[in-house]
Amino acid sequence: MKNLSFYLVTDTHYFESSLGASGKAYDEYMKREQYFMAESSDIVKTVFEKIAADKSTDTVIIPGDLSKNGEFESHKSFIKELNKLKESGKKIYVITAGHDFNEYSRAFVNDECIKVEGTPFTELYNLYYDFGYSQALAVDKRTLSYVTQVSDGLRLLAINCDSEGKRKGTIDDELYAWMQEQLDDAKKADCKVFAICHYPVIPPVPVFDLVGDAKLYDWRKAASFLADNGVEVVLTGHMHIQSINEYVSEKGNKLIDICTSCLVGSPAKYRKINLSDSSVKVESIDVPDFGADMKGLPVNEFFDNQFRYSIVNRINGMLSGGKGFGKFAKKTGKKILNKITVGGIGRILCIKVDKSIKKVKFIDLAGDIGIAIFSGDAAYTEGTPVYNAFSKALKRLNFIIKKVEPKLSKNGVEVNLNKMLLNTIGNNKGYSDNNAEIKLGR
Ligand SMILES: [Fe+2]
Ligand SMILES: [Fe+2]
């Protein structure tokens, strides 16, 4: 197999800004949105120009959520940008995902949220025909999955897990059968195969195993299927997180899932990847300055601030509304939560916390932890003040955790909530989620 160097960009969530993205309703909407909407087209254009200028690779892969919410005008404009990239000499392979069709397509005009023309799933094949399907060796038109030869001895299996009429993030029996045919065919042709899939195949952080929409449905089945059929690498998105994970099937075959962040929201990264017979080398690149008024902030802080703002607003949102005593309790809880420090929580739970974090507001720390988890290489590993405080708090709450754990265990897979949560706030995998070289080969 010839080495393949390519760019991986995902969850571009491109929005055609002339549809409208301003006003009171827009500001209200953005209170809870992790990523930028009005700025997304400028971000995509800036990144595509940078990629076009790099002549050391001629391939770009985008595994889904191409548009904000399936607006037809967003697709049209995004395709114009793809065509420019193609004219610069790049081969482009995309798959579509849940945000690309039948979504709640909307814009924000004159302080109001308005409905705009969306895109039916059946249109996507024609719209993106030049970016994967036209060169494909086989297309599964039902799901818009395809397989294509990307270089000598190397094929790309593009798995579309978000198709019409079924639960998002699933591979059904028919799609498994089609993939089996394609993988058998590649074997006969002596070709290696790597895959793309919008949903993470392996939960990007341990606790996401408990979140229904955070990884493929029945992910162990999918991961084992790919690994046991010779697929060693899958590139994913959807969770807007930088994370690299390994899974070993019962037969002892390894799959590596490289999940990449949303391009237009914190941590706003894309990847340059080199795939060879013996390794996969991953480099992460920050979205550069894209010309917005960032109020003097560095680009990454500009993205992080929006994410932090949405985390705090979501937490406060959960503590709003209700009636009677419920409303009163929520309001009181909200007041306390926005004021309480980590030291204050320590006193309630009777645990000692390091003085470096005592005065930090709990809500600010929650924002920092959220950002750290999604940026990859989460820094709160064993021995750090946050890890120690969290670990002690979990021990204190063990009587609740022990009651919850059996309810979370499914299909004979036991849940250790303590371990899951602690391994989620700190990366203990032994390699970086951002810049790594991982050995391949059996
Ligand atoms: Fe997305
Ligand atoms: Fe998604």
Side-chain angles (χ1 to χ4, degrees):
M1 170 194 131
K2 229 176 104 189
N3 284 13
L4 180 75
S5 162
F6 59 90
Y7 278 104
L8 191 278
V9 177
T10 190
D11 294 73
T12 46
H13 286 289
Y14 190 102
F15 180 73
E16 172 44 56
S17 49
S18 67
L19 288 170
S22 64
K24 277 186 195 156
Y26 176 71
D27 294 343
E28 197 54 40
Y29 171 74
M30 286 306 292
K31 278 186 179 170
R32 292 180 183 206
E33 189 53 273
Q34 175 211 358
Y35 57 90
F36 289 118
M37 179 171 170
E39 297 84 351
S40 62
S41 54
D42 286 339
I43 298 169
V44 169
K45 284 172 195 167
T46 306
V47 170
F48 280 9
E49 274 167 23
K50 272 201 81 176
I51 291 176
D54 179 359
K55 300 300 174 196
S56 69
T57 172
D58 66 356
T59 303
V60 182
I61 296 174
I62 315 178
D65 277 358
L66 310 174
S67 72
K68 173 73 183 94
N69 280 320
E71 314 79 29
F72 189 65
E73 290 303 320
S74 297
H75 279 303
K76 265 173 50 186
S77 301
F78 183 65
I79 288 164
K80 268 188 205 159
E81 298 308 318
L82 289 181
N83 274 318
K84 279 191 221 162
L85 199 52
K86 201 177 168 195
E87 280 156 23
S88 79
K90 308 294 184 205
K91 288 177 268 182
I92 302 163
Y93 304 100
V94 310
I95 43 169
T96 58
H99 276 262
D100 295 318
F101 67 98
N102 286 354
E103 266 281 341
Y104 177 30
S105 302
R106 62 197 147 174
F108 296 90
V109 179
N110 294 336
D111 295 335
E112 275 177 34
C113 177
I114 57 159
K115 223 176 159 330
V116 298
E117 186 188 356
T119 310
F121 182 72
T122 45
E123 273 291 305
L124 295 171
Y125 176 76
N126 291 334
L127 283 171
Y128 290 96
Y129 181 72
D130 291 335
F131 307 104
Y133 301 105
S134 62
Q135 307 282 317
L137 297 166
V139 177
D140 177 35
K141 279 241 183 145
R142 185 181 64 95
T143 62
L144 298 189
S145 302
Y146 62 91
V147 63
T148 188
Q149 192 84 33
V150 285
S151 69
D152 288 346
L154 183 64
R155 290 183 185 180
L156 167 67
L157 172 67
I159 307 163
N160 193 331
C161 63
D162 279 0
S163 58
E164 185 107 87
K166 64 182 177 70
R167 174 189 164 146
K168 302 260 166 71
T170 54
I171 299 178
D172 60 16
D173 289 346
E174 257 182 87
L175 183 52
Y176 271 115
W178 180 84
M179 292 198 299
Q180 187 70 64
E181 260 176 56
Q182 305 315 317
L183 291 165
D184 290 346
D185 190 61
K187 213 180 210 173
K188 269 188 228 147
D190 206 18
C191 284
K192 284 216 163 197
V193 180
F194 72 108
I196 58 173
C197 178
H198 180 61
Y199 270 61
V201 178
I202 305 169
V205 287
V207 82
F208 284 1
D209 200 2
L210 305 177
V211 181
D213 192 51
K215 73 285 164 188
L216 272 186
Y217 178 73
D218 210 354
W219 68 269
R220 288 181 182 82
K221 179 182 172 182
S224 298
F225 172 86
L226 292 172
D228 293 343
N229 277 289
V231 176
E232 291 179 277
V233 173
V234 61
L235 310 163
T236 63
H238 179 65
M239 283 310 289
H240 301 184
I241 186 170
Q242 290 285 101
S243 186
I244 302 178
N245 294 281
E246 289 184 12
Y247 176 77
V248 179
S249 74
E250 276 180 19
K251 290 182 185 165
N253 299 312
K254 191 167 82 176
L255 177 76
I256 294 157
D257 182 340
I258 301 166
C259 188
T260 299
S261 96
C262 170
L263 189 73
V264 300
S266 168
K269 290 184 194 286
Y270 58 108
R271 317 245 207 198
K272 193 171 179 182
I273 298 178
N274 196 287
L275 190 60
S276 75
D277 267 329
S278 58
S279 75
V280 57
K281 195 176 170 200
V282 184
E283 180 195 338
S284 295
I285 305 159
D286 288 313
V287 167
D289 190 327
F290 53 93
D293 174 12
M294 296 183 201
K295 315 259 181 308
L297 290 174
V299 188
N300 61 339
E301 270 184 47
F302 185 64
F303 279 107
D304 287 352
N305 275 1
Q306 176 60 33
F307 192 13
R308 185 176 281 106
Y309 177 64
S310 72
I311 292 172
V312 170
N313 284 326
R314 276 172 190 258
I315 294 174
N316 281 324
M318 285 189 270
L319 294 170
S320 301
K323 276 182 189 168
F325 179 73
K327 190 176 178 179
F328 169 75
K330 277 186 177 179
K331 210 175 162 185
T332 312
K334 193 171 159 182
K335 254 191 190 166
I336 295 170
L337 194 78
N338 281 280
K339 274 194 185 154
I340 198 160
T341 59
V342 177
I345 291 191
R347 280 194 295 281
I348 294 170
L349 294 175
C350 299
I351 56 167
K352 226 181 153 193
V353 300
D354 191 87
K355 65 172 189 281
S356 64
I357 54 168
K358 256 186 179 169
K359 288 185 178 156
V360 176
K361 271 194 193 167
F362 174 75
I363 196 139
D364 292 340
L365 183 64
D368 287 346
I369 292 175
I371 287 170
I373 290 170
F374 282 78
S375 303
D377 302 333
Y380 304 110
T381 47
E382 203 169 348
T384 57
V386 171
Y387 181 100
N388 289 347
F390 197 38
S391 166
K392 283 179 200 166
L394 289 172
K395 262 189 204 149
R396 191 62 80 211
L397 299 169
N398 199 35
F399 69 101
I400 301 175
I401 289 173
K402 286 291 159 232
K403 277 189 187 153
V404 173
E405 274 173 349
K407 289 178 188 150
L408 298 172
S409 301
K410 262 189 233 160
N411 309 325
V413 182
E414 274 184 33
V415 166
N416 180 332
L417 209 48
N418 251 12
K419 210 168 145 191
M420 257 184 178
L421 290 166
L422 290 169
N423 287 345
T424 294
I425 65 161
N427 175 350
N428 64 343
K429 292 178 284 194
Y431 54 84
S432 162
D433 291 305
N434 284 293
N435 298 296
E437 183 163 7
I438 299 172
K439 274 193 178 165
L440 300 176
R442 307 225 152 111

